[in-house]
Amino acid sequence: MITASFFSYKGGSGRTSLLFNVIPYLAEKLHASPEHPIVICDCDTESAGLTFLLDQYKANPTISLQRICNDGIPGEDLEVDSIREHPFFKALPQVADKFGIKIDGYDGSILFLPADKGSERLNNVNMNPLDNLKKLCLDNGVSALIFDTPAGDQKAAKWSVETSKIIVAVMRITRQFRIGTRRYFQEHLDEWENKHVILVPNAVPDGKIKIRGEEVNLDELKQNEIIDVFEEVFSGSSNYLDLGMLENDKFGVNEVARFKYIESVLYSEDSNNLSDDEKKAVEQYENLAELIGK
Ligand SMILES: Nc1ncnc2c1ncn2[C@@H]1O[C@H](COP(=O)(O)OP(=O)(O)OP(=O)(O)O)[C@@H](O)[C@H]1O
Ligand SMILES: [Mg+2]
């Protein structure tokens, strides 16, 4: 089972949009099915973007991250013949259609654990409740457990990262993000063993940037300020830095003009109707799904 956290040390990097766009390609790659679904959890209780984008923002959700933290997971100790019969998985909203995956009747290939409002209810919880969730998913044939995490060191971000083998480290290429992300990893690598960190610069401007009239060479920035610096941080660590989103002429995920106005899933949209920036982004979403699924 794949476990991955979409993480950034600071908000607004594009974690939610990235996850939103990568999931359908991951579902394709893993042949996600109702018997072997992908389970996505919104752990960002302060700003539950994914819950909002998937139309699951409810006054009193029957199931949520906060609920399972407080009351445990429904049917946690129950053994069932098929995941479809399990009270917990049965309670999760089925969201494949929201990712552009056309469905035919029942489709539980993508299940979603929404976040309720506020994080107060997490404050009383000391043990990482995602460990039990992970075990349950593993026992029931889930193909991937994916977390959208809060920014930085918030409690649920720590839980998600601890529980995941893969950390998708999303950042903008601005100085704050480069320094802050590097520092975050410098401080945490010793606590972890054998994590697989995929570095994803996001919303990277296409073409040229000018600073005080001088053109900045983005290839040099990528090599000197990102690749070299992060490789140095990871050298000698048991954790693996994956630069597969920065190889050859690639520089993370490019800026997509439409996302400045509307967050949407590019998957399965008629490819002739995508603009060039959208097509480029799609290539990288597929690439990231490969890196996560490999
Ligand atoms: N590739 C991109 N090109 C242009 N804009 C983008 C891109 N990716 C994300 N954005 C925009 O950046 C903003 C923040 O994105 P998003 O909500 O995904 O980030 P986040 O890290 O999940 O933020 P939060 O901290 O609020 O959870 C959104 O307006 C989104 O549309
Ligand atoms: Mg978000």
Side-chain angles (χ1 to χ4, degrees):
M1 181 177 79
I2 288 165
T3 47
S5 285
F6 281 63
F7 173 82
S8 63
Y9 96 98
K10 165 180 169 64
S13 60
R15 303 182 300 281
T16 303
S17 314
L18 187 66
L19 182 156
F20 203 47
N21 273 287
V22 169
I23 290 292
Y25 296 104
L26 191 63
E28 209 173 69
K29 166 147 182 82
L30 300 178
H31 308 289
S33 67
E35 297 306 330
H36 300 288
I38 293 182
V39 174
I40 305 163
C41 306
D42 192 348
C43 294
D44 193 353
T45 51
E46 291 296 331
S47 123
L50 197 58
T51 301
F52 175 76
L53 286 178
L54 295 175
D55 296 325
Q56 298 297 331
Y57 223 96
K58 308 236 159 76
N60 267 313
T62 51
I63 191 112
S64 70
L65 177 70
Q66 287 92 328
R67 270 182 181 252
I68 69 158
C69 285
N70 283 264
D71 310 333
I73 302 173
E76 190 166 339
D77 299 321
L78 202 68
E79 277 188 35
V80 293
D81 292 334
S82 154
I83 187 171
R84 299 189 201 200
E85 293 159 27
H86 193 284
F88 171 65
F89 296 102
K90 241 160 86 174
L92 298 181
Q94 298 167 13
V95 293
D97 60 328
K98 303 280 185 202
F99 288 95
I101 298 176
K102 297 287 172 266
I103 57 166
D104 239 1
Y106 177 88
D107 190 321
S109 63
I110 304 181
L111 302 176
F112 180 56
L113 178 66
D116 207 341
K117 293 185 185 67
S119 59
E120 332 61 74
R121 285 198 280 153
L122 300 185
N123 296 336
N124 311 326
V125 182
N126 292 319
M127 295 260 288
N128 178 353
L130 303 180
D131 280 341
N132 288 350
L133 177 63
K134 178 169 152 183
K135 185 173 178 313
L136 191 74
C137 288
L138 201 55
D139 290 348
N140 284 279
V142 167
S143 61
L145 176 61
I146 310 285
F147 303 107
D148 192 8
T149 78
D153 260 349
Q154 292 180 53
K155 207 166 183 176
K158 284 188 167 178
W159 288 340
S160 317
V161 167
E162 263 169 40
T163 311
S164 303
K165 167 89 176 176
I166 298 171
I167 305 171
V168 179
V170 191
M171 65 181 215
R172 301 269 167 160
I173 60 168
T174 57
R175 200 158 61 155
Q176 282 192 70
F177 266 103
R178 299 198 309 268
I179 295 173
T181 307
R182 184 190 70 202
R183 198 171 283 164
Y184 177 85
F185 286 112
Q186 265 168 340
E187 284 167 5
H188 289 82
L189 284 177
D190 286 351
E191 298 163 19
W192 302 327
E193 272 178 22
N194 305 321
K195 297 259 191 232
H196 184 116
V197 177
I198 305 175
L199 190 64
V200 187
N202 183 43
V204 178
D206 214 5
K208 314 271 181 268
I209 313 178
K210 276 193 174 176
I211 302 176
R212 295 180 207 98
E214 295 275 335
E215 231 167 56
V216 176
N217 185 334
L218 283 184
D219 288 338
E220 272 175 27
L221 172 73
K222 175 173 114 175
Q223 190 62 49
N224 303 337
E225 306 260 344
I226 299 187
I227 296 184
D228 290 355
V229 167
F230 278 85
E231 273 182 339
E232 198 190 329
V233 170
F234 275 74
S235 68
S237 157
S238 69
N239 304 285
Y240 172 66
L241 176 67
D242 187 333
L243 293 168
M245 294 295 287
L246 287 155
E247 268 161 12
N248 306 322
D249 60 342
K250 303 276 196 317
F251 199 147
V253 177
N254 54 289
E255 192 163 58
V256 174
R258 116 161 63 167
F259 291 169
K260 293 175 178 171
Y261 181 65
I262 183 167
E263 295 96 342
S264 51
V265 178
L266 301 181
Y267 179 84
S268 91
E269 285 193 25
D270 180 359
S271 56
N272 297 325
N273 283 335
L274 293 177
S275 54
D276 289 347
D277 59 339
E278 291 163 357
K279 283 182 191 154
K280 249 181 105 176
V282 160
E283 274 179 32
Q284 282 290 59
Y285 296 139
E286 289 183 276
N287 185 18
L288 181 55
E290 279 294 317
L291 298 175
I292 292 173
K294 115 180 145 193

